Amino acid sequence: MTMSPFALPEARRASVAVDVGGVIVGGGAPVVVQSMTNTDTADVDGTVAQVAALHRAGSEIVRITVDRDESAAAVPKIRERLERLGLNVPLVGDFHYIGHTLLANHPACAEALAKYRINPGNVGFKDKKDRQFVEIVEMAIRYGKPVRIGVNWGSLDQVLLTRLMDENAENGSPLSARDVTREAIIQSALHSAALAEETGLERNRIILSAKVSQVQDLIAVYSELARRSDHALHLGLTEAGMGSKGIVASSAAMGIVLQAGIGDTIRVSLTPEPGGDRTREVIVAQELLQVMGFRQFVPVVAACPGCGRTTSTVFQQLARTIEDDLRRNMPLWRDKYPGVEGLQVAVMGCIVNGPGESKHADIGISLPGTGESPAAPIFIDGKKAATLRGPNIAEEFQAMVADYIEKRFGQGA
């Protein structure tokens, strides 16, 4: 694929489309946002609450851990409760070690899940590895479910890795251990996908992922995996980390491969702060896709960073209030106001860039900076529409934003 480094990809990488409980992954469909719960799946109430929160935040697919009989038995109850809440979010079962047994012993779980995630590095060991992998694939075939073959270099197939390391050592020009490990990850994914197809699983029921924890490794592995396969690909750093580190690492790594047209679904695997909100990973994933121009999820609020001309915090507080209000209302507004996710709002802090930025937005306010006249011009569709003064500027602008949304995006508009 040849393109300017400053242009959006002309086309996404050609990949096979996979239907995951009604959500299409690959085949040119928009990049899908995923997340994962951190509740004990056997805790039906807690898991339902978190799945609902993740889905309402914008997660289009949610993965849950299925690690023992109690969690497997809980899955159909979770599915039923979510449907009663009107939440038809596809659930993915994350299986390790005993997935073949759990699916066989809990047919209601096998039926309730929209997809099975298999880790070929720990699905079984030695002579059991391929046999137990095939057993899960056969269950997927029986129930008409897709699978994600999820390789993770923290649990990589050690037999495969050892063989490749030995072969590399005998090479006259050996590669680095890191390069060999990357190749082992790719081979594990491709071998497992081939085995699944040989077992009878259709190509349009297979998604591949190759999770690593370093930015350059993700770029290298997915670039090569995309070159050697047309399977739909799930992107994400594993153990991305906490706070800004996890956000920056995930954005840097996935941003580069997404820019190259690679990737059909993503997860930002943030470690939550103690007591933190699990939905943060969903918001970051949406923001990554939105700022890169691939999808629109919520209206964009432009706000200046502040400087010595903006010693007041009014513009910061107003920008936060507007942004929170827009995100909070989006679940309702998506249906009530079609197209509202493309709205652009500007909340600026002084005369230097305030009027100009506000004119570029659909609706914007330029608040007075330090020493400026206490007046706030409002711009709508590039034209000055009003000037606000007094102590209620913030509340009045919020009302104007709501009125603009109703007039532009309302059903009677």
Side-chain angles (χ1 to χ4, degrees):
M1 181 181 299
T2 301
M3 63 183 182
S4 163
F6 305 107
L8 287 175
E10 295 179 2
R12 295 263 301 286
R13 160 185 168 269
S15 61
V16 177
V18 181
D19 186 336
V20 181
V23 175
I24 303 302
V25 175
V31 180
V32 172
V33 172
Q34 295 194 36
S35 62
M36 185 175 183
T37 60
N38 62 356
T39 58
D40 179 356
T41 305
D43 174 6
V44 174
D45 291 342
T47 302
V48 167
Q50 192 171 93
V51 171
L54 290 166
H55 185 54
R56 286 168 176 152
S59 182
E60 294 154 301
I61 297 173
V62 178
R63 182 158 47 114
I64 60 177
T65 297
V66 187
D67 58 347
R68 63 193 197 279
D69 286 308
E70 291 81 1
S71 59
V75 169
K77 299 174 185 177
I78 293 167
R79 175 75 275 159
E80 182 183 358
R81 289 271 297 277
L82 289 168
E83 289 176 352
R84 288 210 304 264
L85 292 171
L87 302 176
N88 190 29
V89 52
L91 296 178
V92 179
D94 195 55
F95 294 101
H96 299 274
Y97 306 110
I98 58 171
H100 61 295
T101 300
L102 293 174
L103 286 168
N105 292 344
H106 297 273
C109 169
E111 179 61 46
L113 292 169
K115 183 176 71 175
Y116 309 154
R117 187 276 176 119
I118 314 173
N119 183 339
N122 59 30
V123 71
F125 303 100
K126 296 184 179 180
D127 61 323
K128 295 181 180 179
K129 176 180 178 293
D130 285 354
R131 174 166 54 82
Q132 291 177 181
F133 176 88
V134 165
E135 288 179 23
I136 297 179
V137 170
E138 288 174 341
M139 295 293 289
I141 295 169
R142 180 183 306 173
Y143 289 97
K145 309 294 183 179
V147 301
R148 170 157 74 91
I149 296 171
V151 182
N152 189 309
W153 79 345
S155 51
L156 186 57
D157 180 351
Q158 292 303 298
V159 174
L160 171 62
L161 179 60
T162 299
R163 176 173 62 79
L164 292 181
M165 287 290 187
D166 289 343
E167 291 174 357
N168 183 62
E170 297 172 0
N171 192 324
S173 301
L175 301 172
S176 69
R178 196 175 204 91
D179 285 337
V180 176
T181 302
R182 290 172 175 174
E183 177 62 20
I185 293 168
I186 295 165
Q187 286 197 23
S188 178
L190 295 178
H191 166 77
S192 299
L195 179 57
E197 290 192 67
E198 290 169 11
T199 304
L201 189 65
E202 297 173 332
R203 202 170 186 79
N204 65 355
R205 292 191 182 276
I206 299 173
I207 297 173
L208 301 183
S209 68
K211 294 292 191 72
V212 294
S213 56
Q214 300 296 321
V215 171
Q216 295 298 337
D217 292 314
L218 183 146
I219 296 167
V221 167
Y222 275 97
S223 296
E224 183 62 13
L225 188 58
R227 188 184 70 82
R228 289 155 65 173
S229 166
D230 65 352
H231 287 293
L233 298 179
H234 170 73
L235 302 182
L237 279 177
T238 188
E239 296 94 32
M242 298 180 74
S244 60
K245 184 269 179 184
I247 293 171
V248 170
S250 293
S251 300
M254 289 192 284
I256 289 173
V257 293
L258 286 167
Q259 184 70 13
I262 298 168
D264 302 292
T265 175
I266 68 171
R267 181 193 173 202
V268 177
S269 300
L270 295 180
T271 302
E273 301 286 347
D277 190 346
R278 188 70 169 181
T279 62
R280 182 62 179 154
E281 68 175 53
V282 178
I283 294 171
V284 172
Q286 288 184 325
E287 289 176 343
L288 172 60
L289 294 174
Q290 183 150 332
V291 299
M292 292 192 71
F294 294 123
R295 291 190 65 180
Q296 290 286 331
F297 295 98
V298 296
V300 173
V301 178
C304 68
C307 67
R309 299 178 63 92
T310 56
T311 54
S312 167
T313 61
V314 173
F315 82 94
Q316 298 164 335
Q317 294 165 348
L318 180 56
R320 170 53 60 196
T321 298
I322 293 293
E323 194 164 274
D324 289 346
D325 187 57
L326 293 172
R327 185 168 286 279
R328 183 175 57 252
N329 283 295
M330 276 308 295
L332 172 64
W333 285 356
R334 283 190 187 96
D335 295 326
K336 187 176 181 181
Y337 301 121
V340 71
E341 61 274 6
L343 176 71
Q344 295 187 347
V345 182
V347 180
M348 304 303 294
C350 80
I351 198 171
V352 173
N353 292 315
E357 288 284 355
S358 296
K359 288 177 183 178
H360 289 310
D362 296 310
I363 179 169
I365 183 171
S366 179
L367 291 160
T370 304
E372 295 178 18
S373 173
I378 306 297
F379 296 85
I380 296 177
D381 296 329
K383 298 179 180 179
K384 186 176 178 180
T387 299
L388 302 182
R389 294 181 173 84
N392 299 317
I393 287 177
E395 292 81 357
E396 291 175 21
F397 181 64
Q398 281 183 262
M400 293 182 74
V401 171
D403 183 62
Y404 180 86
I405 289 172
E406 176 62 42
K407 289 180 178 177
R408 179 174 171 182
F409 300 102
Q411 299 298 327

